Amino acid sequence: MSTADPPASGTGAGEARIADARLQRWDGARSGRWAAVRALARWSATGALGARRGWRAKLAPIALSLIALTPAIVVLGVRALIPGGAIDLDEITFSGYQRGTGLVILIFAGLVAAEVMCPDRRDGVLSLYFATALSRLEYVVGKLMATAVPMLLVTLVPMLVLYWGIVVFEDAPVTYLREHWLTLGRIVLSGALVAGYFAVVGIAIASLTSRRAYAVGAYLALLVGATAAADALGEAGGPGWVDALRLGTVPAELSARLYPGAESDSEVPLVGWAISYVVVVSVAAGVLVRRFRRTDL
Amino acid sequence: MSAATLAAHGVRKRYGRVQALDDVTVTLDAPAIGLLGANGAGKTTLMKALLGLVGLDAGTVSILGRRVGEDPRSDRARVGYMPERGALPLDMTAHDFVMQLAELRGLPRRAAALRASEVLFHVGLEEERARLLRSYSTGMRQRTKLAQALLDTPELVVLDEPTNGLDPGGRAEMLGIVRRLSSDLGIRVLMSSHVLDDVLATCDAVCVLRDGRVAHHGALDTLGDDDTRAVIVRVVGDPEAFANALSARGLAAQAQGGGDALVRVTCSGDRDLAALRDVAMAAGIGIAELRSGGPTAHQTLIEAMR
């Protein structure tokens, strides 16, 4: 117990003490509020990734992470097995990586966001959190972190693996690093942009229901549906800017344009994608504010 | 602003067509307060108002002398809460759940793990703490919820129907723990219940809600004070003569009439009761029955709940 002093082994009878085994007041140190937010993010994120849970809960996050990593592993593997052969690492560009793994990122975010948000409503712990532990803002920030940070597994880690793999296989790694250090910054920025976008949208939708299946369904319906609708409009001769309504590809298109010389089929410029990104994130943030403003629990 | 455990002034709260709280005004200061009322009387709504979980249509509420909402962070640090329903992630172990809440309340990670074990020990779950909450009985789940409410030894614990769903043994254990919170640990308790005996067994004061209004409130030991001091004596003999003899001895007594030979006597303690006995012996009056002159605390509260 907090203040109980257990008798030391080997002490004589004269040194024996009576230990108070009743619950004592907590007078120990406390961390700050930021530590509490990080704790919420850690518990939520590890739970969403299946930690301390059965293998079924781990399956989807691990599988999707591996799929997202596969292009990088294949490129580097082929380069390792056939030096100077089929793949010229100098020709590798990073701008298209997230487009290629876009579907994986989309599904990963939907699953993680639903897992992060829905159980709290289903289990009825929100009143407990808000009455005794966290403010509503702290809760939303913690949940956003809990979704965005695991998302880096599919938005950032594969590109970092590819980047450092290229460095390793380069004849002059230091020269490559010196010439491409900006690329590293772009990789980190694009990974964060994509993770942030899907995390905000994902938890905004998941905050509206206690059912994970509904949350994932609504999330996919919105992003895939909007993308399909924009595609249909474009094919029907709509203006070029309708591409910016492809909500499922907005962050990948935006981050691709961070890389110089990135190729794209879309006529929408960087600013157009940036506006689309900001609007979607703002609307999602508005949903979160509305959902968690001072409403009755 | 007083430092009363709880204070509510003109509190109104409506959910759609239902007026959950209707001009609730009450101030109570006691180590353990029972919030009593039938289901739907407004107990949970009042508790949630005190916890800042519901917005009020009108009025103000205070806990421990501070108006709720003025400093939410400080409010949260002073209060522990045991909700009535749910509030348990069933796919976590009790230890993980309590430890997580300890961290959210600001305890460092290592300390949170130790403290979780301590509070679970205190509520008798030390052997079962590594089991999934899904596998817990209702009583164990209630104890887990109580354990998390005690984590950082709050100044006030708010317990919403803590004995709900418990068997008699579990109920007795839970009430024992609740009583010890205020008596041993010095934690103030606000407990809601629709079971009168639970409140009488654990609380020092009571607030009875009926249809969203305060029907009765006050300290339990003074409840029905005037009534419990009065006794009714059924005599074998002349009630008028007995009443006169008691009056001559300085006791307020009055024959009730109606042919039942009843005398109502106001007694302030054992000394008065002994005097009553002596007067009866001296006057040659037999005492056939001696009972409380008014409703008991039990009866008063039940009446207030109706």
Side-chain angles (χ1 to χ4, degrees), chain A residues 1-3 21-27 29-33 35-37 39-44 52-53 115 119-120 122-136 138 212 294-297, chain B residues 13 15 48 51-55 73 75-76 79-81 83 86-92 96-97 99-101 103-109 111 115 118-119 121-122 148 150-154 184-187:
Chain A
M1 301 296 98
S2 296
T3 59
R22 294 176 305 173
L23 184 68
Q24 306 292 322
R25 285 192 160 275
W26 172 256
D27 296 317
R30 286 176 189 274
S31 308
R33 298 313 307 155
V37 173
L40 175 69
R42 189 180 71 250
W43 280 98
S44 301
R52 303 182 188 216
R53 296 171 64 195
E115 197 66 57
D120 286 352
R122 182 196 62 204
D123 299 330
V125 295
L126 288 178
S127 61
L128 200 52
Y129 287 167
F130 296 156
T132 64
L134 298 163
S135 71
R136 295 169 193 237
E138 288 168 344
R212 282 174 290 192
R294 203 147 193 84
T295 50
D296 297 343
L297 286 172
Chain B
K13 177 66 184 176
Y15 294 109
K48 288 190 169 183
L51 291 164
L53 292 174
V54 297
R73 181 182 296 184
D75 289 345
R76 287 193 294 273
V79 175
Y81 175 42
L88 290 176
L90 300 182
D91 52 358
M92 289 180 89
D96 281 354
F97 171 61
M99 179 183 166
Q100 177 194 5
L101 279 164
E103 285 194 72
L104 299 190
R105 288 184 197 152
L107 273 65
R109 195 173 184 184
R115 186 64 177 170
E118 281 183 15
V119 291
F121 176 88
H122 182 71
Q148 63 76 30
L150 306 177
L151 270 168
D152 45 356
T153 334
D184 291 1
L185 288 174
I187 299 173

Side-chain angles (χ1 to χ4, degrees), chain A residues 29 44 46 61 67 78 80 96 111 141 144 150 158 169 171 191 197 210 236 251 259 280 284 286 293:
Chain A
S44 301
T46 52
I67 292 171
V78 170
L111 293 177
V141 171
L144 191 56
F169 286 119
D171 295 331
Y197 177 93
S210 60
Y259 299 92
V280 173
R293 70 180 175 185

Side-chain angles (χ1 to χ4, degrees), chain A residues 44-61:
Chain A
S44 301
T46 52
L49 295 178
R52 303 182 188 216
R53 296 171 64 195
W55 63 270
R56 284 185 190 175
K58 298 175 174 68
L59 191 61

